Amino acid sequence: MPELPEVETIRGGLDRLIVGKTIRSVTPLVEKSYQASPEDTSNFAINASIAAVRRRAKVLIIDLSTKYSLVIHLKMTGQIVFRGDQDFGAGHPTVSMIGELPDRSTRVIIEFVDGSHLFFNDQRKFGWMKLIPTVEIQNLPFMQKVGPEPLEDDFTLEQFKARFKRKGRSKVKAALLDQTVIAGVGNIYADESLFGAKVHPERLVETLTDQDYQNLYDNVRYTMKLAIKKRGSTAKNYIDSEGNRGNYLDTAWVFRKEGQPCPNCGTTIEKIRVAGRGTHICPSCQAKY
DNA sequence: CACTTGACCTGTCCGC
DNA sequence: TGCGGACAGGTCAAGT
């Protein structure tokens, strides 16, 4: 799915596009994609206005004026797309990557009183949207366990190390992907960060040196910041809140570059399987031992 | 307990 | 062209 940079890009877009708008209706098209009672929806979503749009890890949070929030996880193929009331129909400039909405992947439609819409699309139906009291968000199991935000100013190298060390017998890539260790890293940026740090994804955490930790810490943060600047990665489904693709993969080092020369040393980039995920490495730059 | 694998879904691509 | 299997940005439950 959308990893931290993609969700952050969507957050920024929604912050500009929907804050202050008032919800006229919420229409779930697939039951498991929208988790809320009809009573809660009519009492706390209908006629509510959008107060703020936040992000924690890969979770998007839309706070409503009623002290309820729409909490959204896009998983692998979720999209949140805004359409103004003039935007319908093919050929309109803001209808960029996808055509008219709703389409067959649309799972929830939110209509605002000004006639604009927010569409929750999700090809694979893994993602969800739930309406819960804002104060309850911190009690969600995921929120209880999720690790620190890697881009926060108070996230230090020491904190990074300490959280990794609890996973001593894991492979480094598995630890990076583990949301209870640090928040927001997914398959694309794990591979990119490991390449940048010159660390092989199958190294056990307990073998990491201080220099490895420094390199990983620096590269996770660098990669995430760069990816936000590039507005995320579009490997297949990802688009931002206006339907535009992300540009990070144009300059990726190794992700989906198998068979191509390493930008660092020219060795052919390989694709292997680590922690059950497709994994891209330069076998020369990222030595296993 | 710590760590790895399968399941959840739909769509696409690749080999036979 | 058809069909089966592998794979896809994530996370949880169940397995070892």
Side-chain angles (χ1 to χ4, degrees):
Chain A
M1 116 169 161
E3 307 181 28
L4 185 155
E6 289 75 26
V7 180
E8 181 59 25
T9 301
I10 293 170
R11 188 207 61 74
L14 294 182
D15 191 51
R16 204 161 33 74
L17 293 165
I18 67 167
V19 169
K21 290 189 185 294
T22 300
I23 295 174
R24 173 185 285 157
S25 65
V26 177
T27 309
L29 303 177
V30 170
E31 195 171 348
K32 66 171 282 192
S33 299
Y34 183 73
Q35 301 163 10
S37 68
E39 301 90 83
D40 277 358
T41 300
S42 45
N43 289 329
F44 302 109
I46 311 302
N47 294 323
S49 62
I50 309 298
V53 186
R54 298 182 284 142
R55 178 192 60 76
R56 174 74 171 100
K58 303 172 189 172
V59 176
L60 190 63
I61 302 167
I62 300 176
D63 292 321
L64 307 181
S65 56
T66 50
K67 307 296 181 194
Y68 269 62
S69 298
L70 289 164
V71 184
I72 303 166
H73 202 308
L74 299 171
K75 292 290 180 79
M76 301 281 263
T77 55
Q79 304 172 330
I80 295 287
V81 186
F82 176 81
R83 287 283 163 88
D85 60 344
Q86 303 299 310
D87 291 349
F88 288 89
H92 187 280
T94 66
V95 181
S96 43
M97 286 303 297
I98 52 175
E100 199 163 338
L101 291 174
D103 64 19
R104 69 181 158 164
S105 75
T106 302
R107 310 304 179 203
V108 184
I109 304 171
I110 295 174
E111 182 181 24
F112 297 106
V113 296
D114 65 2
S116 59
H117 293 76
L118 198 63
F119 296 92
F120 174 30
N121 297 337
D122 184 17
Q123 178 182 98
R124 293 174 75 178
K125 300 182 183 171
F126 291 169
W128 44 258
M129 169 183 286
K130 53 182 92 190
L131 177 69
I132 61 174
T134 303
V135 295
E136 295 292 325
I137 294 173
Q138 60 182 321
N139 299 326
L140 294 172
F142 179 89
M143 292 298 182
Q144 295 268 312
K145 312 180 294 189
V146 70
E149 290 289 328
L151 295 185
E152 288 293 304
D153 291 338
D154 59 2
F155 181 65
T156 63
L157 172 62
E158 291 314 310
Q159 201 180 353
F160 180 80
K161 253 187 197 173
R163 298 196 65 87
F164 258 74
K165 284 188 171 164
R166 306 178 314 166
K167 307 283 293 183
R169 307 225 27 106
S170 284
K171 292 168 182 170
V172 185
K173 178 157 179 182
L176 269 178
L177 292 174
D178 185 338
Q179 299 297 295
T180 72
V181 177
I182 54 172
V185 181
N187 203 40
I188 297 175
Y189 304 117
D191 283 5
E192 292 287 289
S193 301
L194 286 162
F195 173 81
K198 295 181 159 54
V199 172
H200 193 287
E202 292 181 308
R203 292 262 306 278
L204 295 188
V205 170
E206 63 190 2
T207 71
L208 294 176
T209 65
D210 281 351
Q211 187 63 59
D212 290 328
Y213 273 116
Q214 178 75 58
N215 292 343
L216 269 175
Y217 171 83
D218 289 344
N219 277 278
V220 166
R221 292 181 27 122
Y222 169 80
T223 303
M224 290 297 195
K225 284 182 200 166
L226 176 60
I228 290 171
K229 198 174 297 179
K230 299 276 187 179
R231 305 186 58 78
S233 294
T234 299
K236 186 163 178 56
N237 288 274
Y238 169 74
I239 50 176
D240 69 15
S241 54
E242 292 168 281
N244 300 307
R245 39 191 305 133
N247 303 308
Y248 178 85
L249 292 183
D250 296 346
T251 50
W253 300 114
V254 291
F255 188 81
R256 299 217 174 151
K257 302 284 186 187
E258 61 270 31
Q260 298 181 226
C262 166
N264 203 30
C265 74
T267 303
T268 302
I269 294 167
E270 292 176 2
K271 183 173 182 184
I272 60 177
R273 186 152 283 264
V274 181
R277 313 296 302 275
T279 299
H280 310 76
I281 57 164
C282 169
S284 171
C285 293
Q286 293 163 274
K288 202 164 176 181
Y289 300 106

